[in-house]
Amino acid sequence: MLDRRVDEDRSRECIAAAAEPLMRIRCIAKAFPGVRALGGVNLDIFAGEVHALCGENGAGKSTLMKILAGGIRPDEGEILHSGAAYEPKNPRDARNSGVVLIHQEMSLAPDLSVAENIFLGSLPCKWNGMIDRRRLNDDAARALKACGYDIDPAARAGDLPIARQQMVEIARATAFPCSVVIFDEPTATLTEAEAESLFRTIERLRKNNVAIIYISHKMKEIFRLSDRISVLRDGETQATLRTADADEAQVMSLMIGRTLDRRPASQRKFAGNQVLAVSGLSSPDAFEDVSFTITEGEILGLYGLVGAGRSELAEAIFGLRQANGALLWQGRPVTVRRPRDAVALGIGLVPQDRKKQGLVLGAGGRENVILANLAKLSAWGLLRRAKAAALYSEFAERLRLRSASPTTAVVTLSGGNQQKVVLAKWLATDPRLLILDEPTRGIDVGAKDEVYKIIRELAGSGMAVLLISSEMPEVLGLSDRIVTMHHGRLTGEFRGGEVGEEDLIRAVMSADHDRRSKPAVAV
Amino acid sequence: MKRKYVQPREEYILFKTLIASAAIGLALIGNALAAPPDWFPKDSKKPFEEIVVGFANLGPSLNGYAAAYFKAFNEYAAELGVKPIMTDAALDPARQADQVRDLIAQQVDVMIVWPVNGKAIVPAARQIAQAGIPLIISNSMIDESGMEAMTSYTGPDDYAEAQEAGKIMAAALNGKGNIVLLNGTPGYRMAQLRYDGFMEVISKYPDIKVLDSQPADMSQAKGQTLMENFITRFGKQIDGVYSVDSGVGFGALTATRAAIQEGTLEAGKIKFVDATMYGFVWDLIKTGEYYGSVYQSPEEDARLALRSALKLAAGEKLKQFEYLETPGVTKANVDSIARPNF
Amino acid sequence: MSLATHRLQSSATSFDGLKTIIRGNSVWLLAIAFAIFFSLQSAFFLTPFNISNVLTQCVFVGLLAIGMTPVVISGNIDLSVGAVVGLTACIVVALQPYGLGVAVLAALAAGLLVGLVNGLIVEKMGISSFIVTLAMMSGIRGLTFLAIGDISLSSTDDRLNTFAMLAIGPISIVVVLFAALAAIVGVVLRFTSHGRNTYAIGGNRSAAVDAGIAVSRHVIANFALCGLMAATCGIAMAANLGAAAPSFGRDYELLAITAVVLGGTRLQGGKGGVAGTLGAVLALAILRNGLNLLRVSPFYIPVVVGLVLIMALVLDRRVNRQAMRHGE
């Protein structure tokens, strides 16, 4: 492709002046049952620019990208691509229009060769129907070389390290003519050197007049790579800035958007007994040297971005994941090898993905509550139905659970009520420590408030609560104390009520600079 | 430290076990060298203890008869001191053909085959013949197309069994009455023999009239349905029912019991007779509800097969059909016959 | 670019090369080990008659396992093959009065049709292949019994059995045909775009969809091929035994799946191949034949086969996991 521009810096200046954007996104809206993911997104993407897309978790970035890549269809709005209506029915359609998404997770066929993966769906054949392996490998070698990658086209894709698999994906995206390439958190699993190589590729694509949409949480990368930055919040575009004119603080405040009132309740002092002390806990590939304590009646917020190692930490405490380090339970050293040990101690875990980990979806609310409490509700190995029914109704009332009947399949309940069933299940075990992993994910605003109220009540009754969340208002509004986590390490500790959103963001983002050398997620 | 302490002990135990098993092995060999039985030909072309018998089973899981047969076969082999090579086809005809070839490969002196499928065994039987190995077909006949490959058949004589049943029926009716017949699956040699044998005897009694004759296959349910139709059509005219085996006979009895309850028929009038007795019919003969049947002993069947095989290997000529004795059973002699466990 | 090379080179030592060979062909090594063991233990094992035996014994399960391999690689399973063997064996014998050619073609068509229907239901209605083919298994078996009854049919046309008994030296013609079919399926999987797409579908279905592969078409084609191979097995069985019965091929689907899994094909799909399946079929045939030759009691043979299967899978998993760690 011909590079029309003489001076790269000057070319960036020209973008705003260029007559037509390559892609024009207008008033895109999308709702999922119970949640409005996007509510009017407007974006202009120009050829030859790196357009960074920022936003908190749940701001709608992934939904928007899936719409662009043909994964899902929007409810409202229109997209123009090179002046024509762009309505991809599937990823293949999108790719034919030159729009490709480089996934966060691996999307290669592991048992095929690198070359086969690159040309998957359009393998070259000889006259006799056999694959033309020489041509395939030559073409693949050319595509890889064009990206500057030194990868053997005949290697088995599954044998490559993650970073190189990503390179294969990029080579696949660019082996065919493409006009828009979307990167979804591409450096999440890369080492610094690998990330550098990726940046060079992006630079090369930009020179070839390709539009790049770059999604990342890492301010450093965004400011280094992008020409412009758009910020999404609550499913709407807040602003589009020229990178040269913006600074980190400005982007952060756009991401957060509002100042939240600080909760006086969190000024409480805790003289209660220590419930759990974690010291020097490490788990390979997840987190390292984590230490903290939690006392009776305290809500400890654990804030960090997705992939920081928060859920893994919860799993380790609950016995779902192997970890080294010491756990002190009410002052006594204990080992938790499996969830059963944790339950016996009095630890409950409300997992992140309630549909996969927390609920038997086809069963009723009562069955689900009974599940974690079978021993308590059984005599001579038989379930005592009356006792079970009583237990269920007690918690259903306490949590204001709205379900047609105790046997209504939980899959038909709203997200908020599903979460209440999970909560009821664990509360019925009478835990001393309750770990809540993203307790309000995917539930609507009204239900969120109810869950918050329940959490406060629980803490008020003396239960220790470890609240894991990537939603800042939630952490700030509920926690008595907050620890931040980034790349598998604790990066700060704050008293509730003495901390603002900027402090937290800084603790989990800017910490990048000094911790980069030791990645939390091994490749 | 502890480990080292333990190990010699373990070895010692192992050593003791080895000695013990060696002793048992010697005892077994000693047994094997026992004198051949009286019926074994003195002029055998091969010493008794060197004869290798191959036995391709269809699988003891077939039914109680087969299970009893295999138990008796093994016991008899141990008693004689021969060690047959057994294979189990688990009712799969293709696997049985494979296993027959495995036995040919081991150059056995004589082969017994209880076919899973009389037709599907024909090519394998021909290979046995080609290899020059004498072949005993046991219990269930090979298809006629493969008979030239078979040296001898041992087992029940369907014709004789049916004749015996005919005699019992004639006696039960005092030579006079109306009967219905529930036969086996058409096209099967066994079904034909069990019809022909019965009719040969009955045709000698001009006063016994066959009202109707229908194929009940080998199915108890079908026997019951057919009998219900017979009762509707002939009602109280029926004096006797002849069934191909006890299963079909029991189906007919069930239909009759229902008719007696409704009052269509009077109790005890119809005489039930069949050609192969199962355990539950033995019970009914004892109580008198069922008139009579024919006894076929799985133990005798097994012994006959092994004995014939050894004779063949010795070079003795056998008849093409070595039949099992199949006595008739009625209330008069039922106590002298062991209850079949099938 | 420097980081690109050092990882690959570090894993290319000769020791790892050996390991890769073992990893790819462990089941063949197992078959060779069995062969050596039994030839030392039994004088009959290496006789031409017995070698021809073992090869012939590979054919029936082998045909089914070879047909099943692409289905499993694409992430499905076909439990109906045993029933198709019964059905097609009966068809090829029952239709002989209309001419041998008609009978053979009708049997092949029936197998193909069952495969197509399996594939269509799985893909178009999105029902798990386990359920679909399980239902198909009992449906076909039931229909065959209804049509034929619980009896067996004698082949009236001798050409069928005569053909099956032909041999090239000690090798039966059936074995030669089987080897040819296995080679064809192997080549299709390895060298055609249909084959490579099959791997992609089983390995990462959403990636295959994203790449614009007509996923359904490939999956259905694999089911059809599997049905066709099952029909071939039914015809071969009827030819070899000179008869057919509706009960033919009972439980053969399990024997076939055993061979496929032992051959290193992953039940979840994406990985495996015909060479492994072939090795597993051979290893299992050698094991059964050898145990018969050693006069192991028929009741212990299934136990030994089961133990070997479990041990082989555990070992294979160990080797593969080590290799995977190394690759990372």
Side-chain angles (χ1 to χ4, degrees):
Chain A
M1 217 171 268
L2 194 76
D3 193 354
R4 288 178 279 120
R5 302 181 186 86
V6 188
D7 178 355
E8 199 186 325
D9 281 334
R10 223 177 65 79
S11 78
R12 294 192 190 191
E13 301 292 316
C14 288
I15 288 166
E20 271 299 299
L22 180 66
M23 188 176 257
R24 196 185 273 276
I25 298 165
R26 287 289 172 268
C27 304
I28 290 291
K30 176 78 192 176
F32 296 110
V35 204
R36 191 194 64 164
L38 294 177
V41 173
N42 295 297
L43 272 183
D44 285 335
I45 312 285
F46 290 90
E49 76 163 334
V50 175
H51 196 122
L53 199 61
C54 301
E56 280 190 287
N57 293 322
K61 294 169 300 192
S62 298
T63 310
L64 179 61
M65 292 311 111
K66 279 182 196 151
I67 288 173
L68 291 183
I72 51 178
R73 326 252 333 235
D75 299 336
E76 287 167 42
E78 63 162 1
I79 306 172
L80 294 175
H81 183 270
S82 310
Y86 173 69
E87 291 168 346
K89 288 185 202 62
N90 51 48
R92 178 65 170 175
D93 259 10
R95 188 173 165 171
N96 286 341
S97 313
V99 180
V100 280
L101 170 64
I102 309 287
H103 293 265
Q104 209 171 340
E105 67 269 30
M106 221 259 295
S107 73
L108 299 180
D111 219 49
L112 293 187
S113 76
V114 167
E116 284 169 338
N117 266 293
I118 290 176
F119 291 100
L120 200 60
S122 50
L123 295 167
C125 287
K126 289 190 284 197
W127 58 272
N128 55 4
M130 302 285 144
I131 286 172
D132 190 342
R133 250 173 227 276
R134 175 178 291 180
R135 205 179 115 200
L136 174 67
N137 284 344
D138 287 352
D139 288 355
R142 209 169 299 127
L144 287 162
K145 204 168 168 226
C147 296
Y149 302 144
D150 179 22
I151 300 176
D152 178 8
R156 189 177 160 273
D159 288 339
L160 299 179
I162 300 286
R164 319 211 83 216
Q165 294 189 8
Q166 190 189 44
M167 293 177 186
V168 175
E169 277 204 58
I170 294 169
R172 172 161 80 182
T174 55
F176 299 93
C178 60
S179 51
V180 181
V181 179
I182 305 162
F183 289 90
D184 188 4
E185 304 226 26
T187 58
T189 53
L190 302 187
T191 63
E192 196 163 1
E194 288 163 348
E196 279 305 324
S197 154
L198 171 72
F199 298 158
R200 281 198 296 275
T201 306
I202 292 175
E203 208 56 54
R204 201 170 292 118
L205 287 171
R206 168 163 54 195
K207 275 192 196 138
N208 288 336
N209 218 21
V210 172
I212 290 138
I213 302 178
Y214 190 89
I215 302 173
S216 179
H217 279 115
K218 296 176 181 166
M219 288 296 151
K220 193 179 136 199
E221 290 174 7
I222 288 170
F223 277 86
R224 178 178 153 185
L225 284 173
S226 69
D227 301 299
R228 296 194 300 156
I229 303 172
S230 287
V231 179
L232 277 187
R233 192 178 69 231
D234 298 335
E236 287 170 23
T237 4
Q238 296 304 309
T240 299
L241 312 166
R242 281 157 44 104
T243 309
D245 305 340
D247 61 32
E248 289 192 20
Q250 195 183 357
V251 174
M252 283 179 194
S253 66
L254 277 168
M255 282 166 63
I256 300 149
R258 61 208 131 124
T259 37
L260 279 144
D261 44 329
R262 295 180 180 184
R263 193 165 60 91
S266 60
Q267 305 282 10
R268 292 187 295 160
K269 292 271 181 280
F270 289 94
N273 296 323
Q274 195 180 74
V275 175
L276 177 71
V278 173
S279 66
L281 202 64
S282 301
S283 176
D285 300 355
F287 54 84
E288 236 185 297
D289 195 22
V290 169
S291 306
F292 64 88
T293 63
I294 182 164
T295 55
E296 274 178 9
E298 183 183 31
I299 302 175
L300 176 65
L302 177 59
Y303 179 74
L305 297 169
V306 170
R310 307 158 313 164
S311 299
E312 290 82 355
L313 177 61
E315 285 169 11
I317 295 173
F318 197 62
L320 282 166
R321 169 183 280 273
Q322 245 188 324
N324 300 315
L327 293 183
L328 280 182
W329 179 258
Q330 297 176 331
R332 221 156 27 83
V334 289
T335 44
V336 178
R337 282 206 189 80
R338 50 186 96 81
R340 211 181 337 145
D341 300 344
V343 174
L345 287 173
I347 302 177
L349 171 68
V350 176
Q352 186 178 182
D353 186 344
R354 59 178 168 268
K355 286 189 181 155
K356 270 197 195 140
Q357 302 165 328
L359 288 171
V360 182
L361 286 170
R366 188 167 65 201
E367 293 300 315
N368 272 287
V369 171
I370 290 170
L371 212 58
N373 299 282
L374 274 174
K376 196 162 81 177
L377 296 173
S378 303
W380 306 104
L382 296 173
L383 181 69
R384 297 174 60 186
R385 300 212 70 91
K387 222 171 154 185
L391 184 85
Y392 172 77
S393 31
E394 178 195 336
F395 282 97
E397 199 171 316
R398 227 171 106 189
L399 300 178
R400 295 171 288 275
L401 178 69
R402 278 176 298 273
S403 169
S405 85
T407 51
T408 308
V410 293
V411 70
T412 63
L413 301 182
S414 73
N417 280 309
Q418 286 184 358
Q419 191 67 305
K420 285 180 187 172
V421 173
V422 184
L423 273 171
K425 177 171 117 181
W426 287 111
L427 294 180
T429 65
D430 197 17
R432 302 302 307 142
L433 168 66
L434 188 63
I435 306 172
L436 302 169
D437 193 357
E438 302 281 5
T440 61
R441 170 167 293 180
I443 66 183
D444 57 47
V445 183
K448 272 187 186 177
D449 280 342
E450 280 197 60
V451 172
Y452 295 156
K453 217 167 139 194
I454 292 166
I455 294 173
R456 286 205 192 95
E457 282 171 17
L458 292 174
S461 71
M463 194 181 291
V465 177
L466 177 60
L467 171 70
I468 299 172
S469 179
S470 47
E471 287 198 38
M472 197 155 330
E474 188 168 297
V475 175
L476 287 169
L478 285 171
S479 310
D480 300 305
R481 204 150 51 88
I482 301 169
V483 288
T484 53
M485 195 168 194
H486 181 67
H487 273 310
R489 286 167 179 274
L490 293 190
T491 53
E493 182 176 339
F494 306 91
R495 290 234 129 266
E498 295 169 5
V499 59
E501 305 202 344
E502 292 83 359
D503 304 325
L504 291 189
I505 291 231
R506 207 148 274 136
V508 301
M509 285 187 169
S510 313
D512 250 14
H513 304 287
D514 39 25
R515 306 236 178 240
R516 207 61 194 89
S517 53
K518 203 161 191 191
V521 186
V523 183
Chain B
M1 286 302 233
K2 225 176 173 182
R3 194 111 191 92
K4 272 190 179 164
Y5 210 74
V6 171
Q7 256 167 355
R9 278 188 61 109
E10 278 175 353
E11 274 163 18
Y12 176 64
I13 291 169
L14 193 70
F15 183 65
K16 268 182 87 171
T17 320
L18 270 173
I19 295 212
S21 40
I24 293 170
L26 278 174
L28 284 175
I29 292 167
N31 197 9
L33 291 174
D38 308 338
W39 48 259
F40 189 75
K42 302 285 174 276
D43 56 346
S44 169
K45 53 182 183 183
K46 202 165 186 187
F48 180 74
E49 62 274 8
E50 283 176 23
I51 293 176
V52 180
V53 180
F55 183 11
N57 297 326
L58 83 170
S61 58
L62 173 67
N63 55 26
Y65 187 90
Y69 178 110
F70 293 115
K71 187 162 171 279
F73 190 94
N74 281 318
E75 283 168 2
Y76 191 47
E79 187 189 318
L80 294 175
V82 291
K83 281 189 194 151
I85 310 173
M86 315 257 281
T87 63
D88 174 3
L91 305 184
D92 176 356
R95 186 182 290 182
Q96 187 169 45
D98 287 344
Q99 289 171 340
V100 163
R101 290 186 200 106
D102 283 352
L103 292 172
I104 297 174
Q106 293 177 74
Q107 298 161 9
V108 295
D109 298 305
V110 60
M111 186 117 54
I112 306 172
V113 176
W114 179 343
V116 176
N117 183 311
K119 286 172 178 158
I121 199 66
V122 172
R126 288 189 181 133
Q127 285 184 316
I128 297 174
Q130 272 167 22
I133 298 171
L135 167 63
I136 298 245
I137 296 287
S138 176
N139 185 280
S140 110
M141 211 18 215
I142 190 170
D143 188 68
E144 265 157 292
S145 62
M147 274 224 315
E148 84 282 351
M150 170 190 94
T151 320
S152 266
Y153 165 85
T154 68
D157 177 359
D158 292 302
Y159 194 82
E161 284 186 335
Q163 282 179 313
E164 192 60 42
K167 284 177 202 156
I168 294 170
M169 180 63 89
L173 300 181
N174 279 324
K176 188 173 184 300
N178 299 319
I179 59 171
V180 289
L181 270 56
L182 298 168
N183 298 315
T185 317
Y188 268 79
R189 187 184 139 87
M190 180 261 263
Q192 196 60 44
L193 289 174
R194 285 193 186 178
Y195 175 80
D196 291 348
F198 182 80
M199 285 311 291
E200 193 226 55
V201 175
I202 289 300
S203 58
K204 288 178 194 151
Y205 296 86
D207 290 338
I208 296 180
K209 199 178 142 216
V210 178
L211 291 173
D212 198 358
S213 168
Q214 294 278 342
D217 300 341
M218 302 296 270
S219 149
Q220 183 175 328
K222 199 154 180 197
Q224 185 172 343
T225 316
L226 283 174
M227 189 63 197
E228 281 161 4
N229 296 344
F230 285 152
I231 291 169
T232 315
R233 277 168 60 199
F234 306 114
K236 290 181 181 165
Q237 293 178 50
I238 304 170
D239 300 308
V241 179
Y242 168 66
S243 310
V244 64
D245 69 6
S246 285
V248 172
F250 189 72
L253 179 68
T254 311
T256 309
R257 278 175 178 169
I260 290 169
Q261 284 228 301
E262 288 169 12
T264 324
L265 295 176
E266 49 196 283
K269 191 196 158 207
I270 299 181
K271 310 288 188 240
F272 290 90
V273 176
D274 72 61
T276 303
M277 181 173 67
Y278 295 175
F280 52 80
V281 158
W282 187 89
D283 298 335
L284 294 170
I285 291 174
K286 219 167 144 66
T287 63
E289 196 179 359
Y290 206 95
Y291 190 80
S293 183
V294 181
Y295 179 59
Q296 181 181 324
S297 158
E299 290 83 7
E300 270 311 315
D301 200 0
R303 287 190 208 111
L304 178 64
L306 183 52
R307 206 161 45 227
S308 308
L310 289 167
K311 285 180 184 169
L312 269 187
E316 191 177 318
K317 289 273 174 286
L318 294 181
K319 284 180 288 182
Q320 195 181 16
F321 291 95
E322 293 279 344
Y323 287 126
L324 194 62
E325 272 187 48
T326 46
V329 184
T330 58
K331 197 169 183 178
N333 67 343
V334 66
D335 284 321
S336 65
I337 304 275
R339 184 188 187 280
N341 54 354
F342 52 89
Chain C
M1 252 172 268
S2 58
L3 88 142
T5 36
H6 87 268
R7 276 171 202 275
L8 281 186
Q9 279 166 354
S10 73
S11 66
T13 60
S14 62
F15 177 66
D16 282 312
L18 186 69
K19 245 186 178 172
T20 315
I21 292 172
I22 294 174
R23 195 174 139 198
N25 302 290
S26 48
V27 74
W28 282 96
L29 294 179
L30 188 72
I32 292 167
F34 282 159
I36 292 172
F37 175 78
F38 287 120
S39 57
L40 293 176
Q41 294 292 316
S42 168
F44 301 115
F45 184 79
L46 279 184
T47 57
F49 183 85
N50 195 56
I51 292 171
S52 137
N53 250 355
V54 171
L55 294 178
T56 312
Q57 287 167 13
C58 287
V59 171
F60 299 139
V61 174
L63 282 167
L64 297 183
I66 295 296
M68 182 93 75
T69 303
V71 171
V72 175
I73 289 174
S74 62
N76 289 294
I77 200 158
D78 188 346
L79 297 174
S80 68
V81 288
V84 172
V85 169
L87 172 74
T88 53
C90 287
I91 289 179
V92 81
V93 172
L95 295 189
Q96 277 173 0
Y98 302 96
L100 194 57
V102 173
V104 169
L105 284 180
L108 290 174
L112 187 71
L113 183 73
V114 172
L116 279 173
V117 171
N118 277 335
L120 278 168
I121 298 177
V122 167
E123 278 300 314
K124 299 300 172 193
M125 301 177 71
I127 306 173
S128 127
S129 57
F130 187 91
I131 307 289
V132 172
T133 59
L134 189 69
M136 193 57 100
M137 170 176 101
S138 48
I140 290 176
R141 185 74 73 191
L143 280 177
T144 315
F145 270 104
L146 272 180
I148 308 285
D150 190 6
I151 57 162
S152 51
L153 308 167
S154 265
S155 179
T156 48
D157 196 325
D158 279 343
R159 282 178 294 169
L160 203 59
N161 188 243
T162 314
F163 177 75
M165 291 294 152
L166 287 178
I168 301 168
I171 311 292
S172 154
I173 189 93
V174 186
V175 174
V176 176
L177 266 179
F178 165 60
L181 285 172
I184 291 172
V185 177
V187 166
V188 166
L189 269 182
R190 190 117 195 78
F191 298 110
T192 68
S193 62
H194 167 68
R196 303 322 283 168
N197 288 339
T198 295
Y199 281 93
I201 292 164
N204 194 332
R205 191 174 165 121
S206 60
V209 172
D210 286 1
I213 294 174
V215 170
S216 296
R217 206 185 304 156
H218 293 294
V219 170
I220 293 169
N222 285 333
F223 272 108
L225 174 73
C226 186
L228 207 54
M229 293 294 278
T232 312
C233 176
I235 296 167
M237 200 180 276
N240 216 27
L241 300 178
S247 61
F248 271 25
R250 186 169 270 159
D251 295 342
Y252 272 52
E253 59 279 349
L254 299 181
L255 301 176
I257 293 167
T258 305
V260 170
V261 171
L262 184 62
T265 297
R266 189 170 37 202
L267 265 183
Q268 292 84 354
K271 183 174 174 289
V274 166
T277 302
L278 218 48
V281 168
L282 190 64
L284 288 170
I286 291 176
L287 183 61
R288 280 182 186 283
N289 170 272
L291 290 173
N292 274 342
L293 294 191
L294 295 191
R295 306 185 183 184
V296 173
S297 154
F299 302 111
Y300 288 114
I301 291 178
V303 179
V304 175
V305 172
L307 283 176
V308 165
L309 181 68
I310 291 171
M311 264 159 44
L313 290 179
V314 167
L315 272 175
D316 185 61
R317 218 177 144 156
R318 278 246 171 114
V319 172
N320 271 321
R321 199 183 287 162
Q322 268 177 10
M324 258 158 71
R325 279 213 191 112
H326 213 87
E328 273 177 6

